[in-house]
Amino acid sequence: MALLVRLLPLALALALGPAATLEGPAKSPYQLVLQHSRLRGRQHGPNVCAVQKLIGTNKKYFTNCKQWYQRKICGKSTVISYECCPGYEKVPGEKGCPAALPLSNLYETLGIVGSTTTQLYTDRTEKLRPEMEGPGSFTIFAPSNEAWASLPAEVLDSLVSNVNIELLNALRYHMVNRRVLTDELKHGMALTSMYQNSGIQIHHYPNGIVTVNCARLLKADHHATNGVVHLIDKVISTVTNNIQQIIEIEDTFETLRAAVAASGLNTVLEGDGQFTLLAPTNEAFEKIPAETLNRILGDPEALRDLLNNHILKSAMCAEAIVAGMSMETLEGTTLEVGCSGDMLTINGKAIISNKDILATNGVIHFIDELLIPDSAKTLFELAAESDVSTAVDLFRQAGLGTHLSGKERLTLLAPMNSIFKDGTPNIDSHTKNLLLNHMIKDQLASKYLYHGQTLDTLGGKKLRVFVYRNSLCIENSCIAAHDKRGRYGTLFTMDRMLTPPMGTVMDVLKGDNRFSMLVAAIQSAGLTETLNREGVYTVFAPTNEAFQAMPPEELNKLLGNAKELANILKYHIGDEILVSGGIGALVRLKSLQGDKLEVSSKNNIVSVNKEPVAEADIMATNGVVYAISSVLQPPAVRPQERGDELADSALDIFKQASAYSRAAQTSVKLGKSGLGLKSLYACLGLSPKQAQTCHLLYIDQNIMVQ
């Protein structure tokens, strides 16, 4: 009974599941990183944390799993060291850090955690040390000794020259009138400081880094009898202006200031929220061609998109960036924010000239290069940054440049540069018309295209959309990269020059001398109407050489039998349109004859039934034609294994044999008569193989001829 009583709680816990027993309150990112550092350091004893130290500096980081294996911070190499986790200390002669730090008041705790300069400056004031040693509950974000030493000399002089006002106020701004542990430090929150109730901005990032007014939390949660101490890497100062107010007072933002006013975004930048403004300086605007800049500044929608592309949806302090991370802008695009040593990077470029200008509603980083989003660009500007510059040069040479820089709603189907590795076509009326058929009369997005959709071109053609498992094609050309959607036009990067359809399949075959024998065969088989009417066909068209390669007797026999000829030709016609870009490793395409064709593509060579195709993607209004060098043969009809249903010819043979045996009306078994099975089958004109088939069937049916 006692055992049952002891086991009952365990059984109940197991019944309730792990959520009720193992999961406590969700850990903060900082606590998770600290926990990972503990796990990495446990081999060195209790309460030992692994930290990554930047080589050549004193900067240390608690490590997460990704950083642990990369051994890098901002691209710079690190070394792993092991030290006591926050709140613990070593004991001589024992492994690890088994002892908790002594619990004392805030003033003495400052010395314990290594913030002796803060302790020294506290001594210089008349009022602060008694508060730190007295009763109450406080939080102090204590700058490290290195943080105080890095202050500009004039700033430090102004503080220490008036200790009971300037220095006291500065220290009080680092304090909160209650105990606040890291699990309460939420991203974007503001704490009320003990200096005139001024706000302290807290940001708690997914990578475990916590910042206080953009100063990084080095070691946290050092408990004291009257509060808690958090060690930080900077001396922080009060923040009074919002982002808009900072823009208005900085001389280097004159152009930005005018652009914000024209776009109406000033209400966003002076409102509530926590944003990061990547603020382009006057110099950044001057780097843009005047024509482009004037066009954007004169277009309210493009201007708003431009500025929104410089505003990140959340505040991002420089100290929180230890590796590349994707961040979304108000415009909806994604920027890659990273770092290289001490420099911040945007999309891999070190364009940030001044960082961490703190505002009440976020943070500002100065940038010296404009970040123009696709949505504010012309098709010409989109193409300049894509792998289609050769094609765009062709459009310009053909006199079609105004379509790519104006306000027409267009979609440009631009072949990638590699298509022209053997040269570009001469610009003539045919080429110009072909290029016009690469421009769709609407601004499209590929995600909304559907199979069978038709698109109107500036050249007057209708192009079809084909959707395959792993590709999206317009006629014979397939989309090779993500869309680039500009202000008025969208750029589709295509994998080849597009070939608009020029008549029906029958028109295509008649217009090509290679297929004259095939055309005659189609007419003889009565399939002309089929290939002239509306439909969706893939035709594997044997050339004249393919027919001439057949044995003459076999060719004459085929051409002389209209029914058999129609059957063979139908086997060459698939019942859907399959362009080469839609062919994967293997596609089984049903033919009009009924059997399936095996179509494959490897190293840009298309094969049908393992025979290479001579030419692919000859487009027609009702299908696509592939030129092939052999006449395809449907799978031969073969007798099946014993126990399966026989082919029709074998059944006919069996019936003939049965009828003949019944007519014999002999009273002896076949095996004992003068006319054995072998003789019987020979009389019926059967081959030995056919005879064996019939014999097996006789045995299965237990037939005895008498």
Side-chain angles (χ1 to χ4, degrees), residues 190-362:
L191 295 174
T192 303
S193 76
M194 292 175 61
Y195 169 66
Q196 297 183 352
N197 293 328
S198 299
I200 301 174
Q201 303 295 327
I202 303 296
H203 296 101
H204 195 150
Y205 299 94
N207 60 7
I209 290 177
V210 179
T211 62
V212 182
N213 281 16
C214 284
R216 181 167 64 94
L217 208 65
L218 301 177
K219 289 187 177 180
D221 296 338
H222 289 279
H223 290 271
T225 55
N226 56 345
V228 63
V229 176
H230 303 293
L231 193 66
I232 59 176
D233 71 346
K234 291 184 181 72
V235 178
I236 62 175
S237 57
T238 56
V239 180
T240 56
N241 292 328
N242 59 44
I243 292 175
Q244 178 63 29
Q245 289 169 328
I246 294 174
I247 292 174
E248 290 174 354
I249 61 178
E250 283 285 343
D251 291 338
T252 190
F253 292 147
E254 182 181 354
T255 309
L256 175 62
R257 189 158 54 244
V260 168
S263 68
L265 278 175
N266 51 315
T267 55
V268 174
L269 298 180
E270 66 189 10
D272 294 334
Q274 284 292 309
F275 304 109
T276 299
L277 175 63
L278 303 172
T281 61
N282 295 336
E283 180 186 356
F285 282 98
E286 290 166 2
K287 291 180 179 179
I288 302 300
E291 181 182 355
T292 300
L293 183 58
N294 291 334
R295 175 183 61 78
I296 294 175
L297 293 177
D299 182 343
E301 185 173 335
L303 179 58
R304 192 173 184 87
D305 284 347
L306 170 70
L307 295 177
N308 277 333
N309 197 52
H310 290 75
I311 305 173
L312 304 180
K313 287 186 173 181
S314 62
M316 178 58 66
C317 296
E319 283 295 333
I321 302 170
V322 294
M325 62 178 69
S326 296
M327 300 198 67
E328 190 177 357
T329 69
L330 292 187
E331 196 272 332
T333 58
T334 298
L335 299 178
E336 186 72 15
V337 182
C339 53
S340 178
D342 292 331
M343 297 183 297
L344 289 187
T345 60
I346 305 295
N347 295 337
K349 300 173 72 174
I351 60 174
I352 293 179
S353 55
N354 194 4
K355 56 191 178 183
D356 287 347
I357 310 304
L358 203 62
T360 56
N361 57 347

Side-chain angles (χ1 to χ4, degrees), residues 641-667:
E641 293 293 330
R642 179 180 175 183
D644 293 339
E645 183 181 356
L646 290 175
D648 292 342
S649 57
L651 290 174
D652 289 341
I653 293 170
F654 169 69
K655 291 174 183 176
Q656 294 176 37
S658 299
Y660 186 89
S661 64
R662 287 195 297 273
Q665 295 183 354
T666 177
S667 60

Side-chain angles (χ1 to χ4, degrees), residues 326-470:
S326 296
M327 300 198 67
E328 190 177 357
T329 69
L330 292 187
E331 196 272 332
T333 58
T334 298
L335 299 178
E336 186 72 15
V337 182
C339 53
S340 178
D342 292 331
M343 297 183 297
L344 289 187
T345 60
I346 305 295
N347 295 337
K349 300 173 72 174
I351 60 174
I352 293 179
S353 55
N354 194 4
K355 56 191 178 183
D356 287 347
I357 310 304
L358 203 62
T360 56
N361 57 347
V363 62
I364 299 175
H365 304 298
F366 293 25
I367 62 172
D368 55 19
E369 189 172 303
L370 214 55
L371 305 171
I372 304 178
D374 287 349
S375 59
K377 294 178 182 177
T378 65
L379 280 169
F380 263 141
E381 291 163 352
L382 291 176
E385 302 168 359
S386 305
D387 187 28
V388 295
S389 56
T390 305
V392 171
D393 282 340
L394 287 176
F395 283 99
R396 184 185 287 110
Q397 293 170 29
L400 302 175
T402 54
H403 293 291
L404 306 184
S405 58
K407 296 182 179 181
E408 255 181 305
R409 294 287 181 183
L410 293 175
T411 298
L412 180 66
L413 310 179
M416 55 204 306
N417 290 339
S418 59
I419 301 304
F420 304 103
K421 61 184 178 181
D422 296 325
T424 57
N426 294 324
I427 302 299
D428 53 23
S429 58
H430 171 75
T431 303
K432 182 174 180 178
N433 192 55
L434 178 61
L435 293 175
L436 282 169
N437 286 318
H438 282 73
M439 289 189 279
I440 309 298
K441 289 182 178 180
D442 197 4
Q443 187 175 15
L444 304 174
S446 62
K447 62 184 177 182
Y448 295 119
L449 298 180
Y450 56 89
H451 192 75
Q453 183 179 3
T454 58
L455 311 173
D456 293 321
T457 73
L458 293 187
K461 293 291 184 180
K462 287 188 178 294
L463 306 179
R464 296 158 297 181
V465 176
F466 305 120
V467 179
Y468 301 105
R469 183 175 298 277
N470 295 311

Side-chain angles (χ1 to χ4, degrees), residues 106-117:
L106 280 176
Y107 176 80
E108 293 181 356
T109 303
L110 288 173
I112 293 171
V113 302
S115 185
T116 53
T117 305

